[in-house]
Amino acid sequence: MAGPKTTLWELEPHTRAKHDLLRRYLGGWFPVLSAYNGRIVFLDGFAGPGAYENGEPGSPLIALDALLTHAYFPRMSCEFLFFFCEADPKRFESLKELIEVYKAENYPWPSNVKVEAVNSPFEQTATDLLSHLSTQKKRLAPTFAFVDPFGFSGLPMNLLADLLSFSRCELFVNYMVDFVNRFAGAGNVDHHLTELFGTDEYKHAASLRGKERQQFLHDLYQRQLSEVCGLTYVQSFAMINRTGHIGYYLFHGTRDVKGVELMKDAMWKVDPGGGFTFSDRLAGQDVLFTEVDIDVTPLRAALLREFAGRTVNISRLEEFTLVNTPYRKTHLRKPVLSPLEREGLIQVGRPGRSGFPEGTRVTFSSY
């Protein structure tokens, strides 16, 4: 872990996995958003020095590379604006230098890709950006805000709400629940925690212990992102380390179910490595994100419970799978619906002779 005076530090396995996830998500997000917008923005709130101890790229270069190396980039005609915020002067100088090196390596630099690195905290940069837009009476272009702090200060909920008030903005935030869990109720950093949550309800954690305490703090943050920031879909993914404990949560918030689909696809494709594993919860059960020996039993049970005695369109089942479970759309048809049909637990009305194409209607047996 980098200390306050450290310029470069070792790339840890969980950070490598997080960066792999970021790259994969942007690989889907860039072409989808660029097809319908004249400008899109990537905002890195805690950009760091741009690289790690052994030369591995940091999130700013990963984001740039995800765009420039994309197979569809030559066909993306919109303007891409990258904002990189780094408060530490030495890290900022390192970041600027590495950006210039990357630009030189990719000469000639595409005219529709703009990069702005700012030597200021995320909170100040975001506030200045919103103030400028207000003065100009403009709206923020579709934005993906990647917010990856070392702790929990400098990340006020009301600022996130202002930033995310623009309809096509998404958030991917590292919620350091271990730090929060340690200090909630201690009383010495209450002002930071009140800003983080946008409420002082976190103080109720003082009477809780163990997993119940951690789950309460998770649920409170998720609720605030949904209600205060107005995000329709807020998903969390636990980073479980090799000891089986949760190191932190990754929260993704969006108003578009397509964003949920892209994030699920990215999550299931990432190889965490180093003993770290992604997980989510369904009916009190851990569902691990690995494409090897996928257990779809929780998805099967959830579908049977939710739609018992009902007839629904296949698109409704896809939406339920994406929004209400940790699974992908690809886990629905062959892994779950086909066995249910063979067992007589569902009746299928399909427009074709086989499969579950668009327009398919599925009737679930009653319990």
Side-chain angles (χ1 to χ4, degrees):
M1 176 67 71
K5 300 296 184 182
T6 307
T7 301
L8 299 180
W9 56 91
E10 183 182 355
L11 176 63
E12 297 181 4
H14 63 89
T15 303
R16 187 187 301 275
K18 181 170 51 186
H19 286 170
D20 190 10
L21 173 59
L22 176 66
R23 176 186 290 274
R24 290 178 182 275
Y25 183 81
L26 291 177
W29 188 79
F30 282 136
V32 169
L33 270 293
S34 64
Y36 303 101
N37 298 277
R39 171 188 286 182
I40 60 177
V41 178
F42 176 83
L43 172 62
D44 193 331
F46 297 82
Y52 290 85
E53 205 169 55
N54 295 317
E56 303 95 334
S59 54
L61 298 186
I62 287 171
L64 287 170
D65 205 58
L67 176 63
L68 267 64
T69 62
H70 200 290
Y72 292 121
F73 177 62
R75 286 175 265 176
M76 299 182 200
S77 59
C78 83
E79 182 180 64
F80 297 89
L81 180 56
F82 290 82
F83 271 109
F84 302 132
C85 314
E86 176 50 49
D88 182 84
K90 289 185 178 180
R91 294 176 186 173
F92 177 71
E93 288 304 316
S94 172
L95 173 62
K96 278 205 310 180
E97 180 180 338
L98 289 173
I99 289 173
E100 290 306 313
V101 169
Y102 184 81
K103 283 185 172 182
E105 292 173 346
N106 289 273
Y107 180 84
W109 189 254
S111 60
N112 63 326
V113 179
K114 314 293 184 183
V115 180
E116 185 170 346
V118 185
N119 186 202
S120 66
F122 165 70
E123 188 172 358
Q124 179 182 329
T125 302
T127 300
D128 291 346
L129 175 62
L130 292 168
S131 177
H132 174 74
L133 290 171
S134 177
T135 301
Q136 299 295 316
K137 300 189 185 306
K138 293 183 178 180
R139 296 183 59 81
L140 185 63
T143 299
F144 185 83
F146 178 59
V147 186
D148 188 16
F150 286 118
F152 53 79
S153 63
L155 191 60
M157 183 64 67
N158 64 344
L159 178 61
L160 291 182
D162 290 341
L163 186 65
L164 296 164
S165 64
F166 300 93
S167 60
R168 300 303 298 274
C169 294
E170 294 188 14
L171 175 70
F172 188 42
V173 60
N174 179 0
Y175 173 58
M176 305 292 286
V177 69
D178 193 40
F179 285 99
V180 175
N181 191 30
R182 193 182 312 166
F183 291 102
N188 56 334
V189 290
D190 281 3
H191 61 294
H192 288 308
L193 290 171
T194 300
E195 285 188 344
L196 177 73
F197 287 101
T199 176
D200 64 358
E201 290 182 53
Y202 66 88
K203 292 180 179 179
H204 297 315
S207 62
L208 305 175
R209 295 291 180 271
K211 290 184 178 180
E212 185 182 8
R213 175 184 172 99
Q214 188 177 67
Q215 192 64 45
F216 169 79
L217 292 168
H218 164 278
D219 293 349
L220 177 60
Y221 194 69
Q222 184 171 33
R223 189 198 78 192
Q224 291 296 94
L225 287 176
S226 177
E227 294 182 359
V228 177
C229 297
L231 294 169
T232 309
Y233 308 108
V234 179
Q235 308 247 357
S236 70
F237 310 95
M239 284 292 287
I240 301 176
N241 60 29
R242 67 191 68 193
T243 67
H245 294 96
I246 296 173
Y248 56 86
Y249 288 100
L250 299 173
F251 276 92
H252 175 242
T254 181
R255 295 181 178 88
D256 192 333
V257 72
K258 183 63 178 180
V260 179
E261 181 178 357
L262 290 173
M263 183 57 72
K264 288 288 183 66
D265 287 347
M267 291 295 301
W268 281 96
K269 290 177 182 176
V270 166
D271 176 16
F276 282 81
T277 303
F278 295 107
S279 80
D280 201 346
R281 304 285 290 177
L282 176 59
Q285 177 177 344
D286 273 318
V287 179
L288 302 181
F289 286 79
T290 171
E291 292 286 12
V292 180
D293 300 324
I294 299 170
D295 180 13
V296 294
T297 304
L299 175 58
R300 171 190 168 110
L303 290 168
L304 289 172
R305 181 173 58 251
E306 177 70 18
F307 298 104
R310 297 167 56 188
T311 299
V312 292
N313 195 285
I314 187 66
S315 61
R316 176 69 185 95
L317 299 181
E318 289 178 337
E319 181 184 13
F320 177 84
T321 300
L322 285 173
V323 174
N324 298 95
T325 85
Y327 292 93
R328 304 169 64 191
K329 284 165 59 173
T330 55
H331 298 142
L332 174 64
R333 288 170 166 82
K334 187 174 180 180
V336 174
L337 294 183
S338 290
L340 289 178
E341 184 178 19
R342 289 195 298 269
E343 296 164 28
L345 294 175
I346 61 172
Q347 302 297 316
V348 181
R350 49 176 61 91
R353 298 181 62 182
S354 62
F356 301 88
E358 287 300 316
T360 296
R361 303 275 292 172
V362 179
T363 301
F364 286 77
S365 298
S366 300
Y367 275 88

